[in-house]
Amino acid sequence: MTGAAGQIGYSLLFRIASGSMLGPDTPVALQLLEITPALGALEGVKMELDDSAFPLLTEIVCTDDADVAFGDADVALLVGAMPRKAGMERADLLSANGGIFKPQGEALSRSAKRDVKVLVVGNPANTNALIAQQNAKDLDPGRFTAMTRLDHNRAMTQVAQKLGTPVTDVKKMTIWGNHSATQYPDLFHCEVGGKNAYEAVNDHEWVDGTFIPTVQKRGAAIIDARGASSAASAASAAVDHIRSWTLGTPEGDWVSMAIPSDGSYGVPEGIISSFPCTCTDGKYEIVQGLDIDDYSRGKIDASAAELVGERDAVSELGLI
Ligand code: NAI
């Protein structure tokens, strides 16, 4: 894990070490990467992990060397990133993150297991994943994914609360596109208690004017309320993403994962965009054959266009 001394790391590490991510039978060795000035804080996190006496936890390595952190890694959680600061232009943000994700892609390529599962959490997550992927010349590009599971989980709860049902009744939620305000949470293919969610809600104005913007802007709402960005829920979503990818998705359901597009649903090939995915035997697959109406088409296209713009920007900066 990168950014391991940050606020997501503080939540995520304890969930992983307890077995939530890989199941109760898989021992966990943690290889934690931080920038040199944060190694002291990271040591404190290691002390707390030690003090938890997790039965599954076999080893904790703290380092500022990416090749050590990614050495023989089965799972790589790329959490550390450069946040947007006041007055920062988009090109500055992409360039600063390129300075992190380019060398990390190169290090993954040199040092990680060939079938490493990479999840990029650090924002802008989809494009950071693309930068790492494009610089990992010796790894299969399909190993690189970005996180839209938090958006997926947020959307599930919004619709469950609207209908007054438990969240476990909600199946087949889909987040399309970028992990940004252009993402498209899709209720047309979602089911609640076995019924179509859009029909069960039966209120287009709520879907268009409340549901979609609430999910799209939830990250900003958390910052306003908490004075800090979502951390425990982001960590929980990272656990969910890797658990689904590794242990599989249940029959009759799917999850949202940002993965390299193969051109499905008209999303330009190569960009890392969110799709409905099923997972079996450690492999993800895009759910095919969903009907996309004009309303959804416009929203999927808009988010894909934003990702193409980000790809072109990092390409111009020479990062991919
Ligand atoms: P944080 O600022 O608390 O922690 C980030 C950590 O990364 C810091 O400890 C920092 O020292 C470290 N770091 C910076 N550069 C690094 C490098 N080159 N190598 C290793 N470590 C490095 O941030 P927080 O709250 O943990 O969030 C991390 C990222 O996750 C942010 O980019 C945030 O925007 C993103 N995020 C993504 C979500 C998603 O749904 N995809 C949801 C919530 C947050």
Side-chain angles (χ1 to χ4, degrees):
M1 183 192 304
T2 74
Q7 46 152 11
I8 292 177
Y10 193 66
S11 191
L12 183 48
L13 286 168
F14 294 82
R15 296 282 310 278
I16 297 171
S18 73
S20 297
M21 189 169 83
L22 298 172
D25 303 321
T26 307
V28 174
L30 294 171
Q31 298 176 178
L32 310 180
L33 184 71
E34 260 298 348
I35 52 172
T36 315
L39 285 176
L42 184 59
E43 189 56 31
V45 177
K46 176 182 182 297
M47 287 160 71
E48 284 206 65
L49 284 163
D50 283 339
D51 294 350
S52 304
F54 287 113
L56 289 173
L57 189 53
T58 57
E59 194 186 9
I60 308 170
V61 174
C62 299
T63 179
D64 57 3
D65 180 338
D67 285 285
V68 172
F70 297 141
D72 283 331
D74 299 289
V75 175
L77 300 161
L78 274 51
V79 179
M82 177 67 77
R84 191 190 279 264
K85 297 194 183 110
M88 210 176 194
E89 296 294 329
R90 196 174 73 131
D92 299 333
L93 179 74
L94 292 171
S95 160
N97 278 291
I100 296 173
F101 287 88
K102 189 173 192 284
Q104 289 186 354
E106 290 163 354
L108 280 163
S109 187
R110 282 191 299 268
S111 302
K113 289 232 177 93
R114 299 302 87 183
D115 62 350
V116 61
K117 291 182 171 70
V118 182
L119 171 62
V120 177
V121 175
N123 282 318
N126 301 51
T127 297
N128 286 342
L130 183 74
I131 295 170
Q133 178 211 52
Q134 291 295 306
N135 287 282
K137 297 294 176 211
D138 294 333
L139 287 177
D140 167 5
R143 308 318 298 165
F144 288 78
T145 68
M147 191 166 91
T148 50
R149 187 63 172 268
L150 178 55
D151 312 290
H152 176 104
N153 289 345
R154 287 167 170 165
M156 284 176 68
T157 299
Q158 290 301 316
V159 74
Q161 289 182 350
K162 170 75 175 168
L163 293 171
T165 58
V167 81
T168 45
D169 280 359
V170 182
K171 311 281 183 220
K172 301 184 178 175
M173 179 58 74
T174 307
I175 304 293
W176 299 93
N178 199 1
H179 170 68
S180 76
T182 68
Q183 66 175 268
Y184 171 45
D186 174 358
L187 279 194
F188 290 97
H189 303 100
C190 176
E191 293 173 5
V192 179
K195 297 199 187 83
N196 179 276
Y198 183 82
E199 285 166 18
V201 167
N202 192 24
D203 181 352
H204 183 76
E205 211 170 295
W206 179 81
V207 173
D208 189 61
T210 301
F211 170 72
I212 294 174
T214 298
V215 176
Q216 289 172 330
K217 295 179 194 155
R218 187 70 163 185
I222 302 280
I223 295 174
D224 283 347
R226 220 172 74 86
S229 61
S230 38
S233 56
S236 197
V239 165
D240 290 345
H241 178 113
I242 295 293
R243 194 185 52 225
S244 295
W245 188 357
T246 307
L247 303 178
T249 46
E251 192 63 38
D253 202 359
W254 64 60
V255 296
S256 303
M257 297 171 73
I259 57 170
S261 175
D262 61 359
S264 292
Y265 296 101
V267 176
E269 203 174 331
I271 58 172
I272 297 191
S273 189
S274 187
F275 288 96
C277 292
T278 54
C279 303
T280 318
D281 298 331
K283 293 189 182 69
Y284 60 76
E285 223 175 289
I286 297 174
V287 176
Q288 296 294 342
L290 303 179
D291 285 332
I292 305 295
D293 68 6
D294 288 348
Y295 179 83
S296 297
R297 182 78 269 156
K299 293 191 180 305
I300 294 169
D301 288 351
S303 200
E306 182 183 51
L307 283 169
V308 168
E310 290 182 16
R311 180 192 63 192
D312 293 349
V314 294
S315 172
E316 272 166 36
L317 290 165
L319 296 169
I320 62 172

